[in-house]
């Protein structure tokens, strides 16, 4: 069974640009969550989607947005990139998105903003 | 707000040594508690979890007990192996509807042969 796939694995963008990251969950999983991992702030929750609806949202500015498609694939978009957006972005999928179902993480997309 | 504190390390042990990684949390109500592990170049993997007070989670020789009175969820293993070298994250979630984890800073463990 294929795991969670995140593309691309590495990305370099210039300050002010926008970027879109993609996450393909495990087949059959309906919940997709996104996290930002940085050395200074650690792992921080961005948002969670379930059946194409945003169900939870973390404390990030509106420049960070996401969506989920009918096949459960999810995209995350960051507009007007800042140097501080450089991070590893992790996606996690689970079958039902409840605490009784395990979340499986992808390997992440490493974004560098220059 | 919700938060998780854990020893940041790095922790360096010899093979077969006893491991303890401390984790304490702050949350209103009764969160569920987790330990995740991140091996080099990989995503996070669930190691174990506990959903109510006094529950003990265990997996691969690791265990942790949910202690409400001390708001703690310390990770232990009796005899570590080189293959246990990784970063360990303690996490909580108060949301029983949806996945919304609050992670600790992570503890890097190196096990020497």
């Amino acid at each position: 069974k294929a795991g969670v796939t995140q593309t691309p694995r590495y990305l370099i963008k210039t300050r002010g640009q926008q970027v879109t990251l993609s996450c393909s969950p495990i087949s059959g999983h309906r919940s997709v969550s996104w996290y930002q991992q940085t050395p200074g702030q650690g792992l921080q929750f961005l948002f969670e989607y379930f059946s194409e609806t945003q169900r939870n949202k973390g404390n990030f500015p509106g420049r960070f947005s996401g969506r989920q498609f009918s096949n459960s694939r999810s995209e995350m978009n960051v507009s007007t990139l800042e140097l501080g957006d450089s991070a590893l972005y992790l996606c996690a999928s689970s079958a039902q998105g409840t605490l009784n179902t395990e979340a499986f993480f992808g390997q992440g997309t490493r974004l560098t903003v220059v | 707000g919700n938060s998780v504190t854990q020893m940041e390390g790095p922790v360096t042990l010899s093979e077969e040594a006893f491991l303890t990684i401390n984790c304490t949390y702050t949350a209103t109500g009764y969160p569920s508690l987790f330990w995740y592990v991140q091996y080099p170049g990989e995503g996070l993997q669930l190691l174990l979890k506990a959903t109510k007070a006094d529950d003990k989670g265990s997996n691969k020789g690791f265990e942790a007990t949910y202690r409400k009175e001390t708001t703690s969820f310390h990770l232990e293993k009796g005899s570590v192996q080189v293959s246990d070298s990784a970063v360990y994250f303690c996490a909580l979630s108060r949301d029983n509807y949806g996945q919304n984890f609050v992670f600790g800073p992570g503890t890097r463990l190196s096990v020497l042969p």
Side-chain angles (χ1 to χ4, degrees):
Chain A
K1 181 167 165 180
V4 178
T5 304
Q6 292 187 246
T7 56
R9 289 291 311 279
Y10 302 92
L11 206 49
I12 299 175
K13 288 287 188 179
T14 303
R15 195 170 42 180
Q17 286 186 313
Q18 76 163 18
V19 67
T20 299
L21 312 182
S22 179
C23 172
S24 293
I26 290 172
S27 178
H29 285 192
R30 298 165 64 191
S31 167
V32 173
S33 302
W34 288 90
Y35 292 84
Q36 182 196 64
Q37 186 176 22
T38 60
Q41 300 297 318
L43 275 156
Q44 293 185 285
F45 172 76
L46 281 154
F47 28 65
E48 184 216 1
Y49 286 86
F50 183 81
S51 293
E52 302 179 66
T53 301
Q54 187 180 86
R55 190 160 64 172
N56 285 295
K57 189 177 190 307
N59 189 26
F60 277 79
R63 300 185 298 107
F64 291 82
S65 62
R67 59 179 176 168
Q68 186 180 34
F69 302 95
S70 58
N71 62 358
S72 292
R73 188 177 71 86
S74 178
E75 287 182 347
M76 191 193 94
N77 186 76
V78 188
S79 62
T80 320
L81 283 166
E82 301 176 359
L83 296 178
D85 297 333
S86 295
L88 180 68
Y89 290 88
L90 291 168
C91 160
S93 80
S94 68
Q96 295 296 330
T98 66
L99 294 179
N100 290 325
T101 59
E102 182 176 346
F104 294 83
F105 283 79
Q107 291 183 288
T109 293
R110 184 164 296 282
L111 171 65
T112 303
V113 182
V114 298
Chain B
N2 301 327
S3 66
V4 175
T5 303
Q6 64 179 106
M7 52 194 292
E8 293 197 34
V11 174
T12 302
L13 296 173
S14 297
E15 206 165 22
E16 299 183 3
F18 183 86
L19 169 71
T20 298
I21 301 177
N22 290 336
C23 170
T24 57
Y25 67 89
T26 301
T28 53
Y30 304 102
S32 292
L33 302 174
F34 305 80
W35 277 101
Y36 275 86
V37 58
Q38 187 174 33
Y39 298 102
E42 299 185 15
L44 277 71
Q45 300 175 25
L46 177 64
L47 183 59
L48 52 83
K49 69 178 182 183
T51 57
K52 61 183 188 294
D54 299 325
D55 265 3
K56 178 186 281 189
S58 61
N59 186 26
K60 299 181 182 179
F62 291 89
E63 57 182 37
T65 301
Y66 189 142
R67 301 286 188 201
K68 188 177 69 170
E69 62 277 10
T70 54
T71 62
S72 65
F73 193 54
H74 304 321
L75 182 69
E76 296 182 335
K77 186 175 186 183
S79 175
V80 293
Q81 306 300 312
V82 172
S83 57
D84 293 327
S85 298
V87 181
Y88 292 81
F89 293 90
C90 184
L92 68 80
S93 180
R94 285 202 57 240
D95 196 340
N96 288 318
Y97 183 68
Q99 299 210 332
N100 176 359
F101 296 109
V102 174
F103 286 93
T107 300
R108 183 174 298 278
L109 170 67
S110 294
V111 180
L112 305 178

